[in-house]
Amino acid sequence: MRRVAHVLAVGTLLSSVAISASPARAGGGDVAAGLIGGLAVGTLFGATIGGPHYYPPAYAVPEPVYGPRCYWAAGEPYWDDYSEVWTYQRVRVCE
């Protein structure tokens, strides 16, 4: 939300300057001033949009929990009345 506010503020500033500016004439350093001003505004706009990327601190990562090793195995077969076949129930085996 903060970035959006910055972008809107810069856009409002630029539009107000563009509306109130008089036509440019190439004389007396106007081109250099326009180039330097454009670079400055571009830098501010890029810094507003780019911004720093923050990462969570290292202590926020949970420690891995080591528990018993488990796997799925086929259990005892049973008759499935719906499919009318013998099926094996899956059983979780932990060591």
Side-chain angles (χ1 to χ4, degrees):
M1 193 67 184
R2 189 173 181 183
R3 287 185 186 173
V4 174
H6 285 284
V7 171
L8 289 176
V10 170
T12 305
L13 178 67
L14 290 178
S15 64
S16 66
V17 169
I19 292 172
S20 65
S22 61
R25 288 169 288 175
D30 290 342
V31 174
L35 182 63
I36 292 171
L39 289 173
V41 170
T43 301
L44 290 173
F45 190 70
T48 301
I49 290 177
H53 301 288
Y54 296 108
Y55 297 103
Y59 59 84
V61 178
E63 292 289 325
V65 178
Y66 298 107
R69 294 183 183 249
C70 299
Y71 60 93
W72 291 96
E76 295 292 323
Y78 69 95
W79 179 254
D80 186 8
D81 289 330
Y82 181 75
S83 302
E84 295 184 352
V85 293
W86 285 97
T87 57
Y88 291 92
Q89 183 178 1
R90 295 179 62 197
V91 178
R92 186 175 178 197
V93 179
C94 296
E95 297 176 351

